[in-house]
Amino acid sequence: MTPPTPPTLPTVPTLPTVPSRSAAGRLTGLASALLALVAVPACAGCGRPDVVLCADCRAELGGPARVVPVPVWPDAPPTAAAARYDGAVATCVNAWKERGRHDVEPVLGAALAQAVALAAGPRPQLVLVGVPSSCAARRRRGADGVRRLALHAAVSLRSATAASAVRVLPALRLARRVADQAGLSAAARSANVAGAFEVRPHAPPLLAGRPVVVVDDVLTTGATLREAARAVTVAGGVVVGLASVSVTPLRRGLSALSGLD
Ligand SMILES: [Zn+2]
């Protein structure tokens, strides 16, 4: 019997091996969903009442995407971000990451789509691979958020270019425990994530020879994206670009950000 269609993003092709969620994670997600039902919405970027994201904050996330350098990887494939991690954008991203504001995911995903399109250029097919969340982040946030952003980005990309086959592949997982990147120097961030990701057993045949863009929510030094790209490349994927919703100036981001990188 055909299982019922999920209520969100029903047309996005995904693999069946979605990372499992802990009981704590499910409770966190449930609490966020219940809170969203009873709370009066306020702009996730500036707090303006009665709106999920106001027009001004949407505009800050609306691009255009720009090519950005990857500090720890001078020879990185083309890399793009949609917005500067600052002000309302930073507040919005953190509301999504840390305060359960899943209602802004379509906007963040559309921003990510712009960055993907700039990094990869027009292609008949593309695979999006998100960086995996740390175990601590999963406990706090309840799910693999970057994968959800990638799913929204795929929807935006397919609607923008009907001929483009964009697939989201949850190809990576943590190979070992990593510390939170917040507060670490650039060198320490690289050391923290070196060899930290591995490809899931089912993924290599789906990656081999395919053009891949590795995606994340915030780009700081690029250490996490580089490690993710390494793992994808080892499995035979062809990393044609890196893309992020936002990019932070290195000086302030190293001590301000939470999450992997
Ligand atoms: Zn706003």
Side-chain angles (χ1 to χ4, degrees), residues 68 70 73 76-81 112-113 115-120 123 126-132 146-147 149-150 153 157 166-173 197 199 207 210-219 222-234 237-246 260-261:
V68 297
V70 182
W73 193 8
T79 305
L112 180 60
V116 170
L118 180 60
R123 292 176 183 272
L126 195 60
V127 177
L128 304 184
V129 174
V131 300
V146 174
R147 176 177 170 274
L149 292 187
L157 288 164
V166 182
R167 182 173 194 180
V168 178
L169 189 64
L172 300 179
R173 66 184 180 188
F197 300 155
V199 171
L207 287 171
R210 303 270 173 79
V212 175
V213 174
V214 182
V215 301
D216 204 354
D217 54 354
V218 181
L219 190 162
T224 304
L225 281 169
R226 181 178 61 178
E227 164 59 18
R230 180 202 62 77
V232 167
T233 302
V234 166
V238 181
V239 178
V240 298
L242 310 174
S244 178
V245 173
S246 61
L260 274 178
D261 195 23

Side-chain angles (χ1 to χ4, degrees), residues 42-49 51-58 60 88 92:
C43 175
C46 69
R48 193 171 298 177
V51 63
V52 170
L53 201 62
C54 75
D56 291 341
C57 292
R58 281 179 185 268
E60 292 200 34
C92 180

